[in-house]
Amino acid sequence: MKQYLVDAFTDQVFAGNPAAICILDRWLPEDLMQKITRENNLSETAFAVKTGETYHLRWFTPGGEIDLCGHATLACAFVILTQLEPNGDRVSFDTLSGRLTVQRKGDLFEMDFPAYELTKVPVTPAMTEALGAQPSAAYLARDLLCVFEDESTVRTMTPDLDKVKALDGLLHHVTAPGRESDCVSRSFCPKCGIPEDPVCGSGHCHIVPYWARVLGREELVAWQASPRGGTLYCTLEGNRVKLAGKAALFSQAEIFLPNQG
């Protein structure tokens, strides 16, 4: 089975967020897909099967299957539209989060994702202790979003991941106003077996609605300030978030699977 390794939200390898992409003729057993994901040891491995004119897409972390992943969706669209269907400019995926569409616009791949509805929650001592800094505000949807006033706080943060794991939310995002971008963020994912997600698309389905409201505009440029770093071009449209980014192909590999009959 062929597997592609793609760095998403960047135009160069060794940056952005790496995802492994497997385009299948038919589904593998779920436990085998999980084993492949753990063997890759990346934040996500995505598996897709074509069904008619669309693809059924599933995302796995080393800790299990999840319901939404931005960078692996972008990486999967990049593989399909540059390696498998190079004359196409649009691909649709059926997922646990519904129908997701990715459109190629020059060297950008733009995804149409659902926006999470944020509920403001109290800032707790547990948040401050886990993150090593006190947020100015906190919001909860699928993930926990903690807001800080200074970009340097986000960039230099060294959270206690065992304590982060005890906080509410599946993933845990920290964000602040950016000096060279509209906002900066980082995403910690110990519940999924990943200390830090280098560039988190689904996290920006939390981050973009917050900053669009605060800044009073719908179009934002976001920088994920992880050690690898990545840029997202974002637009809030009602209850949808459009996330655009570039991608770079790092490798193609053959996976030698046990006999599947």
Side-chain angles (χ1 to χ4, degrees), residues 118-153:
L118 302 175
T119 300
K120 191 170 185 178
V121 295
V123 173
T124 65
M127 294 177 191
T128 301
E129 188 173 349
L131 298 172
Q134 183 173 333
S136 59
Y139 298 84
L140 187 63
R142 183 197 72 173
D143 305 340
L144 180 66
L145 175 66
C146 291
V147 181
F148 295 85
E149 296 180 359
D150 189 82
E151 177 178 331
S152 62
T153 303

mmCIF file of all heavy atoms in Angstrom, residues 118-153:
data_model
loop_
_atom_site.group_PDB
_atom_site.id
_atom_site.type_symbol
_atom_site.label_atom_id
_atom_site.label_comp_id
_atom_site.label_asym_id
_atom_site.label_seq_id
_atom_site.Cartn_x
_atom_site.Cartn_y
_atom_site.Cartn_z
ATOM 1 N N LEU A 118 -18.363 28.627 20.754
ATOM 2 C CA LEU A 118 -17.585 28.736 21.985
ATOM 3 C C LEU A 118 -18.465 29.154 23.154
ATOM 4 O O LEU A 118 -19.302 30.051 23.023
ATOM 5 C CB LEU A 118 -16.455 29.751 21.812
ATOM 6 C CG LEU A 118 -15.459 29.480 20.682
ATOM 7 C CD1 LEU A 118 -14.486 30.643 20.562
ATOM 8 C CD2 LEU A 118 -14.714 28.178 20.914
ATOM 9 N N THR A 119 -18.244 28.525 24.291
ATOM 10 C CA THR A 119 -18.900 28.910 25.543
ATOM 11 C C THR A 119 -17.840 29.423 26.502
ATOM 12 O O THR A 119 -16.859 28.718 26.783
ATOM 13 C CB THR A 119 -19.631 27.714 26.172
ATOM 14 O OG1 THR A 119 -20.628 27.241 25.261
ATOM 15 C CG2 THR A 119 -20.291 28.119 27.485
ATOM 16 N N LYS A 120 -18.011 30.644 26.988
ATOM 17 C CA LYS A 120 -17.037 31.195 27.922
ATOM 18 C C LYS A 120 -17.112 30.442 29.246
ATOM 19 O O LYS A 120 -18.201 30.184 29.769
ATOM 20 C CB LYS A 120 -17.273 32.685 28.143
ATOM 21 C CG LYS A 120 -16.133 33.371 28.895
ATOM 22 C CD LYS A 120 -16.266 34.890 28.889
ATOM 23 C CE LYS A 120 -15.032 35.523 29.535
ATOM 24 N NZ LYS A 120 -15.102 37.001 29.497
ATOM 25 N N VAL A 121 -15.952 30.083 29.773
ATOM 26 C CA VAL A 121 -15.881 29.356 31.043
ATOM 27 C C VAL A 121 -14.923 30.097 31.972
ATOM 28 O O VAL A 121 -14.071 30.876 31.518
ATOM 29 C CB VAL A 121 -15.404 27.902 30.829
ATOM 30 C CG1 VAL A 121 -16.419 27.118 30.001
ATOM 31 C CG2 VAL A 121 -14.028 27.857 30.157
ATOM 32 N N PRO A 122 -15.047 29.894 33.276
ATOM 33 C CA PRO A 122 -14.140 30.581 34.210
ATOM 34 C C PRO A 122 -12.693 30.135 34.023
ATOM 35 O O PRO A 122 -12.416 28.963 33.725
ATOM 36 C CB PRO A 122 -14.670 30.168 35.587
ATOM 37 C CG PRO A 122 -16.068 29.700 35.347
ATOM 38 C CD PRO A 122 -16.078 29.108 33.981
ATOM 39 N N VAL A 123 -11.775 31.077 34.179
ATOM 40 C CA VAL A 123 -10.350 30.740 34.252
ATOM 41 C C VAL A 123 -10.094 30.153 35.632
ATOM 42 O O VAL A 123 -10.421 30.761 36.654
ATOM 43 C CB VAL A 123 -9.477 31.987 34.016
ATOM 44 C CG1 VAL A 123 -8.008 31.662 34.262
ATOM 45 C CG2 VAL A 123 -9.679 32.517 32.600
ATOM 46 N N THR A 124 -9.541 28.950 35.659
ATOM 47 C CA THR A 124 -9.361 28.237 36.920
ATOM 48 C C THR A 124 -7.885 28.159 37.308
ATOM 49 O O THR A 124 -7.001 28.247 36.447
ATOM 50 C CB THR A 124 -9.917 26.813 36.815
ATOM 51 O OG1 THR A 124 -9.130 26.081 35.858
ATOM 52 C CG2 THR A 124 -11.379 26.830 36.380
ATOM 53 N N PRO A 125 -7.608 27.959 38.594
ATOM 54 C CA PRO A 125 -6.218 27.731 39.012
ATOM 55 C C PRO A 125 -5.600 26.530 38.310
ATOM 56 O O PRO A 125 -4.391 26.515 38.047
ATOM 57 C CB PRO A 125 -6.343 27.509 40.519
ATOM 58 C CG PRO A 125 -7.587 28.238 40.919
ATOM 59 C CD PRO A 125 -8.518 28.074 39.758
ATOM 60 N N ALA A 126 -6.425 25.521 37.994
ATOM 61 C CA ALA A 126 -5.892 24.338 37.309
ATOM 62 C C ALA A 126 -5.367 24.689 35.916
ATOM 63 O O ALA A 126 -4.345 24.144 35.472
ATOM 64 C CB ALA A 126 -6.976 23.266 37.211
ATOM 65 N N MET A 127 -6.044 25.609 35.214
ATOM 66 C CA MET A 127 -5.559 26.052 33.900
ATOM 67 C C MET A 127 -4.214 26.748 34.036
ATOM 68 O O MET A 127 -3.260 26.469 33.296
ATOM 69 C CB MET A 127 -6.571 27.001 33.254
ATOM 70 C CG MET A 127 -7.892 26.398 32.884
ATOM 71 S SD MET A 127 -8.995 27.697 32.209
ATOM 72 C CE MET A 127 -10.554 26.826 32.175
ATOM 73 N N THR A 128 -4.132 27.663 34.986
ATOM 74 C CA THR A 128 -2.897 28.423 35.189
ATOM 75 C C THR A 128 -1.747 27.502 35.572
ATOM 76 O O THR A 128 -0.621 27.622 35.056
ATOM 77 C CB THR A 128 -3.110 29.485 36.280
ATOM 78 O OG1 THR A 128 -4.170 30.364 35.868
ATOM 79 C CG2 THR A 128 -1.845 30.293 36.510
ATOM 80 N N GLU A 129 -2.019 26.540 36.447
ATOM 81 C CA GLU A 129 -0.969 25.620 36.889
ATOM 82 C C GLU A 129 -0.527 24.714 35.747
ATOM 83 O O GLU A 129 0.670 24.441 35.589
ATOM 84 C CB GLU A 129 -1.488 24.793 38.068
ATOM 85 C CG GLU A 129 -0.415 23.937 38.719
ATOM 86 C CD GLU A 129 -0.911 23.249 39.979
ATOM 87 O OE1 GLU A 129 -2.017 23.597 40.461
ATOM 88 O OE2 GLU A 129 -0.191 22.369 40.485
ATOM 89 N N ALA A 130 -1.472 24.248 34.938
ATOM 90 C CA ALA A 130 -1.124 23.342 33.839
ATOM 91 C C ALA A 130 -0.343 24.051 32.744
ATOM 92 O O ALA A 130 0.608 23.501 32.176
ATOM 93 C CB ALA A 130 -2.397 22.721 33.265
ATOM 94 N N LEU A 131 -0.731 25.299 32.433
ATOM 95 C CA LEU A 131 -0.115 26.027 31.321
ATOM 96 C C LEU A 131 1.098 26.841 31.745
ATOM 97 O O LEU A 131 1.895 27.251 30.899
ATOM 98 C CB LEU A 131 -1.155 26.943 30.670
ATOM 99 C CG LEU A 131 -2.358 26.226 30.044
ATOM 100 C CD1 LEU A 131 -3.416 27.226 29.615
ATOM 101 C CD2 LEU A 131 -1.926 25.362 28.858
ATOM 102 N N GLY A 132 1.230 27.103 33.043
ATOM 103 C CA GLY A 132 2.358 27.884 33.535
ATOM 104 C C GLY A 132 2.176 29.379 33.375
ATOM 105 O O GLY A 132 3.118 30.147 33.558
ATOM 106 N N ALA A 133 0.974 29.822 33.029
ATOM 107 C CA ALA A 133 0.641 31.243 32.896
ATOM 108 C C ALA A 133 -0.867 31.370 33.017
ATOM 109 O O ALA A 133 -1.615 30.444 32.678
ATOM 110 C CB ALA A 133 1.122 31.804 31.555
ATOM 111 N N GLN A 134 -1.310 32.521 33.491
ATOM 112 C CA GLN A 134 -2.738 32.710 33.720
ATOM 113 C C GLN A 134 -3.413 33.288 32.487
ATOM 114 O O GLN A 134 -3.066 34.389 32.034
ATOM 115 C CB GLN A 134 -2.983 33.634 34.908
ATOM 116 C CG GLN A 134 -4.462 33.812 35.229
ATOM 117 C CD GLN A 134 -4.703 34.589 36.504
ATOM 118 O OE1 GLN A 134 -3.869 34.590 37.400
ATOM 119 N NE2 GLN A 134 -5.849 35.254 36.599
ATOM 120 N N PRO A 135 -4.401 32.580 31.935
ATOM 121 C CA PRO A 135 -5.136 33.129 30.786
ATOM 122 C C PRO A 135 -5.958 34.343 31.198
ATOM 123 O O PRO A 135 -6.392 34.465 32.352
ATOM 124 C CB PRO A 135 -6.043 31.969 30.364
ATOM 125 C CG PRO A 135 -5.500 30.753 31.041
ATOM 126 C CD PRO A 135 -4.847 31.230 32.293
ATOM 127 N N SER A 136 -6.206 35.219 30.236
ATOM 128 C CA SER A 136 -7.123 36.339 30.482
ATOM 129 C C SER A 136 -8.567 35.918 30.269
ATOM 130 O O SER A 136 -9.498 36.560 30.781
ATOM 131 C CB SER A 136 -6.785 37.515 29.567
ATOM 132 O OG SER A 136 -6.882 37.134 28.203
ATOM 133 N N ALA A 137 -8.791 34.844 29.510
ATOM 134 C CA ALA A 137 -10.136 34.319 29.272
ATOM 135 C C ALA A 137 -10.007 32.881 28.792
ATOM 136 O O ALA A 137 -8.948 32.461 28.308
ATOM 137 C CB ALA A 137 -10.882 35.160 28.244
ATOM 138 N N ALA A 138 -11.096 32.127 28.920
ATOM 139 C CA ALA A 138 -11.111 30.730 28.483
ATOM 140 C C ALA A 138 -12.466 30.407 27.878
ATOM 141 O O ALA A 138 -13.506 30.912 28.328
ATOM 142 C CB ALA A 138 -10.799 29.796 29.644
ATOM 143 N N TYR A 139 -12.458 29.552 26.863
ATOM 144 C CA TYR A 139 -13.674 29.159 26.146
ATOM 145 C C TYR A 139 -13.622 27.664 25.880
ATOM 146 O O TYR A 139 -12.542 27.098 25.652
ATOM 147 C CB TYR A 139 -13.796 29.921 24.823
ATOM 148 C CG TYR A 139 -13.916 31.408 24.996
ATOM 149 C CD1 TYR A 139 -12.784 32.200 25.154
ATOM 150 C CD2 TYR A 139 -15.163 32.034 25.020
ATOM 151 C CE1 TYR A 139 -12.874 33.575 25.338
ATOM 152 C CE2 TYR A 139 -15.274 33.407 25.195
ATOM 153 C CZ TYR A 139 -14.136 34.166 25.354
ATOM 154 O OH TYR A 139 -14.232 35.527 25.543
ATOM 155 N N LEU A 140 -14.792 27.044 25.866
ATOM 156 C CA LEU A 140 -14.867 25.603 25.682
ATOM 157 C C LEU A 140 -15.842 25.260 24.564
ATOM 158 O O LEU A 140 -16.954 25.782 24.503
ATOM 159 C CB LEU A 140 -15.310 24.920 26.986
ATOM 160 C CG LEU A 140 -15.286 23.391 27.004
ATOM 161 C CD1 LEU A 140 -13.857 22.867 26.829
ATOM 162 C CD2 LEU A 140 -15.895 22.862 28.299
ATOM 163 N N ALA A 141 -15.404 24.398 23.653
ATOM 164 C CA ALA A 141 -16.280 23.735 22.686
ATOM 165 C C ALA A 141 -15.815 22.274 22.691
ATOM 166 O O ALA A 141 -15.786 21.653 23.746
ATOM 167 C CB ALA A 141 -16.186 24.392 21.321
ATOM 168 N N ARG A 142 -15.466 21.712 21.525
ATOM 169 C CA ARG A 142 -14.827 20.392 21.577
ATOM 170 C C ARG A 142 -13.527 20.478 22.351
ATOM 171 O O ARG A 142 -13.170 19.596 23.127
ATOM 172 C CB ARG A 142 -14.548 19.882 20.156
ATOM 173 C CG ARG A 142 -13.954 18.469 20.120
ATOM 174 C CD ARG A 142 -13.311 18.131 18.787
ATOM 175 N NE ARG A 142 -12.063 18.844 18.578
ATOM 176 C CZ ARG A 142 -11.242 18.620 17.548
ATOM 177 N NH1 ARG A 142 -11.575 17.730 16.621
ATOM 178 N NH2 ARG A 142 -10.122 19.306 17.417
ATOM 179 N N ASP A 143 -12.785 21.593 22.119
ATOM 180 C CA ASP A 143 -11.487 21.827 22.750
ATOM 181 C C ASP A 143 -11.580 22.992 23.730
ATOM 182 O O ASP A 143 -12.548 23.753 23.730
ATOM 183 C CB ASP A 143 -10.437 22.158 21.680
ATOM 184 C CG ASP A 143 -10.348 21.098 20.594
ATOM 185 O OD1 ASP A 143 -10.783 19.951 20.835
ATOM 186 O OD2 ASP A 143 -9.848 21.419 19.499
ATOM 187 N N LEU A 144 -10.536 23.142 24.523
ATOM 188 C CA LEU A 144 -10.406 24.288 25.424
ATOM 189 C C LEU A 144 -9.513 25.336 24.764
ATOM 190 O O LEU A 144 -8.415 25.027 24.293
ATOM 191 C CB LEU A 144 -9.792 23.850 26.754
ATOM 192 C CG LEU A 144 -9.592 24.951 27.801
ATOM 193 C CD1 LEU A 144 -10.939 25.496 28.282
ATOM 194 C CD2 LEU A 144 -8.770 24.434 28.984
ATOM 195 N N LEU A 145 -9.995 26.579 24.715
ATOM 196 C CA LEU A 145 -9.249 27.703 24.146
ATOM 197 C C LEU A 145 -8.927 28.687 25.260
ATOM 198 O O LEU A 145 -9.836 29.215 25.905
ATOM 199 C CB LEU A 145 -10.063 28.390 23.057
ATOM 200 C CG LEU A 145 -9.465 29.662 22.442
ATOM 201 C CD1 LEU A 145 -8.186 29.335 21.679
ATOM 202 C CD2 LEU A 145 -10.486 30.347 21.527
ATOM 203 N N CYS A 146 -7.647 28.922 25.496
ATOM 204 C CA CYS A 146 -7.204 29.867 26.524
ATOM 205 C C CYS A 146 -6.534 31.059 25.844
ATOM 206 O O CYS A 146 -5.644 30.886 25.004
ATOM 207 C CB CYS A 146 -6.242 29.201 27.501
ATOM 208 S SG CYS A 146 -7.027 27.971 28.566
ATOM 209 N N VAL A 147 -6.962 32.256 26.225
ATOM 210 C CA VAL A 147 -6.505 33.492 25.589
ATOM 211 C C VAL A 147 -5.510 34.202 26.486
ATOM 212 O O VAL A 147 -5.713 34.293 27.709
ATOM 213 C CB VAL A 147 -7.711 34.415 25.303
ATOM 214 C CG1 VAL A 147 -7.253 35.698 24.617
ATOM 215 C CG2 VAL A 147 -8.757 33.688 24.460
ATOM 216 N N PHE A 148 -4.442 34.711 25.869
ATOM 217 C CA PHE A 148 -3.413 35.465 26.589
ATOM 218 C C PHE A 148 -3.226 36.813 25.904
ATOM 219 O O PHE A 148 -3.585 36.991 24.743
ATOM 220 C CB PHE A 148 -2.097 34.676 26.630
ATOM 221 C CG PHE A 148 -2.197 33.397 27.417
ATOM 222 C CD1 PHE A 148 -2.664 32.232 26.824
ATOM 223 C CD2 PHE A 148 -1.866 33.363 28.761
ATOM 224 C CE1 PHE A 148 -2.783 31.060 27.545
ATOM 225 C CE2 PHE A 148 -1.976 32.198 29.499
ATOM 226 C CZ PHE A 148 -2.438 31.042 28.885
ATOM 227 N N GLU A 149 -2.660 37.745 26.631
ATOM 228 C CA GLU A 149 -2.537 39.109 26.114
ATOM 229 C C GLU A 149 -1.259 39.326 25.328
ATOM 230 O O GLU A 149 -1.183 40.271 24.538
ATOM 231 C CB GLU A 149 -2.630 40.105 27.272
ATOM 232 C CG GLU A 149 -3.982 40.094 27.973
ATOM 233 C CD GLU A 149 -4.061 41.083 29.115
ATOM 234 O OE1 GLU A 149 -3.033 41.764 29.372
ATOM 235 O OE2 GLU A 149 -5.128 41.187 29.750
ATOM 236 N N ASP A 150 -0.249 38.469 25.517
ATOM 237 C CA ASP A 150 1.052 38.729 24.911
ATOM 238 C C ASP A 150 1.523 37.532 24.093
ATOM 239 O O ASP A 150 1.487 36.387 24.567
ATOM 240 C CB ASP A 150 2.082 39.046 25.995
ATOM 241 C CG ASP A 150 3.388 39.537 25.411
ATOM 242 O OD1 ASP A 150 3.488 40.737 25.077
ATOM 243 O OD2 ASP A 150 4.308 38.708 25.273
ATOM 244 N N GLU A 151 1.978 37.799 22.878
ATOM 245 C CA GLU A 151 2.454 36.741 21.992
ATOM 246 C C GLU A 151 3.605 35.947 22.597
ATOM 247 O O GLU A 151 3.688 34.718 22.433
ATOM 248 C CB GLU A 151 2.890 37.365 20.657
ATOM 249 C CG GLU A 151 3.481 36.390 19.674
ATOM 250 C CD GLU A 151 3.853 37.036 18.356
ATOM 251 O OE1 GLU A 151 3.206 38.035 17.970
ATOM 252 O OE2 GLU A 151 4.789 36.543 17.700
ATOM 253 N N SER A 152 4.500 36.618 23.300
ATOM 254 C CA SER A 152 5.669 35.927 23.853
ATOM 255 C C SER A 152 5.269 34.873 24.873
ATOM 256 O O SER A 152 5.954 33.861 25.030
ATOM 257 C CB SER A 152 6.640 36.934 24.465
ATOM 258 O OG SER A 152 6.045 37.625 25.542
ATOM 259 N N THR A 153 4.163 35.097 25.578
ATOM 260 C CA THR A 153 3.687 34.100 26.538
ATOM 261 C C THR A 153 3.345 32.803 25.822
ATOM 262 O O THR A 153 3.689 31.703 26.279
ATOM 263 C CB THR A 153 2.450 34.623 27.292
ATOM 264 O OG1 THR A 153 2.770 35.838 27.941
ATOM 265 C CG2 THR A 153 1.964 33.612 28.320
#
